[in-house]
Amino acid sequence: MTHPIGQWQQIISRDPGHSSRYIERFKMLAAQGHDLYGEARLIDAIVGRGAAILDAGCGPGRHAGYLHRAGHVVVGVDVDPTLIAAAEDDDPGPTYVVGDLAGFELPPGVPQEFDAVLCAGNVMTFLHPDTRVPVLAGFASRLSATGRAVVGFGAGRGYGFDEFLADARSAGLALESRFATWDLRPFSPEADFQVALLTRA
């Protein structure tokens, strides 16, 4: 089944070198000493040891790799094969899958149900609007009974925070709490970023 093409695929179809520059940008930030793991630390804090974690839109694997090194069983999925190849080279350990978040299959032998789903890096804003609810429904279907999906993205990217929450409800997810940053600063109407913790409704 084919799905409408999202913004990321449109970018790389116009500019095939975009993915490689994206990878190098984060390598440069790491070399400069920037903290690139706040999202992964939050996930590590809300799950037990050895949890099953889905990194949805894993990119070049920095969160998946961190969580694997912390002792979790991690599956990373991304639509961009260049980013997946970089993840396999730079952060081996997790299972990486090239797939569209609107509909993907996981290989045998890896978890099919997860204690946490991480969706960081403004991934939700790169999706085609018609696939947002299906993607969120996919998160809901893959969560364990006590699992949580943690989704973060910024304002001004064509996807309003309240619209996202309405889509999440339509997809079978319930808002547990939300914050303005990955280090859990309180959310307010003026916040320019949202981190939503969601459970199965």
Side-chain angles (χ1 to χ4, degrees), residues 26-51:
F26 280 95
K27 288 183 177 180
M28 180 184 68
L29 290 172
Q32 293 171 347
H34 290 269
D35 178 12
L36 303 179
Y37 303 105
E39 298 94 322
R41 286 198 303 273
L42 172 57
I43 297 298
D44 186 43
I46 67 169
V47 296
R49 296 302 85 194

Side-chain angles (χ1 to χ4, degrees), residues 26-131:
F26 280 95
K27 288 183 177 180
M28 180 184 68
L29 290 172
Q32 293 171 347
H34 290 269
D35 178 12
L36 303 179
Y37 303 105
E39 298 94 322
R41 286 198 303 273
L42 172 57
I43 297 298
D44 186 43
I46 67 169
V47 296
R49 296 302 85 194
I53 298 169
L54 175 65
D55 187 352
C58 65
R62 66 185 185 278
H63 302 314
Y66 179 100
L67 291 163
H68 170 78
R69 292 188 293 274
H72 302 296
V73 180
V74 185
V75 178
V77 177
D78 201 284
V79 73
D80 188 333
T82 300
L83 299 186
I84 289 291
E88 291 171 336
D89 288 343
D90 297 337
D91 278 291
T95 298
Y96 293 109
V97 176
V98 177
D100 189 325
L101 293 180
F104 61 91
E105 298 295 326
L106 294 176
V110 303
Q112 305 292 314
E113 184 177 88
F114 296 91
D115 302 300
V117 174
L118 170 62
C119 186
N122 293 303
V123 165
M124 290 301 303
T125 67
F126 284 104
L127 301 175
H128 189 283
D130 290 348
T131 67

Side-chain angles (χ1 to χ4, degrees), residues 117-198:
V117 174
L118 170 62
C119 186
N122 293 303
V123 165
M124 290 301 303
T125 67
F126 284 104
L127 301 175
H128 189 283
D130 290 348
T131 67
R132 291 167 179 166
V133 172
V135 167
L136 291 166
F139 295 170
S141 71
R142 293 183 186 276
L143 281 178
S144 68
T146 58
R148 285 179 281 188
V150 185
V151 181
F153 63 91
R157 292 175 168 269
Y159 196 12
F161 297 154
D162 289 340
E163 183 183 2
F164 164 78
L165 294 177
D167 285 347
R169 287 191 296 272
S170 297
L173 293 165
L175 179 66
E176 179 181 89
S177 53
R178 64 174 167 167
F179 303 92
T181 62
W182 288 100
D183 61 353
L184 306 185
R185 308 288 172 131
F187 185 84
S188 72
E190 294 75 35
D192 61 5
F193 200 88
Q194 174 178 262
V195 177
L197 276 66
L198 305 154

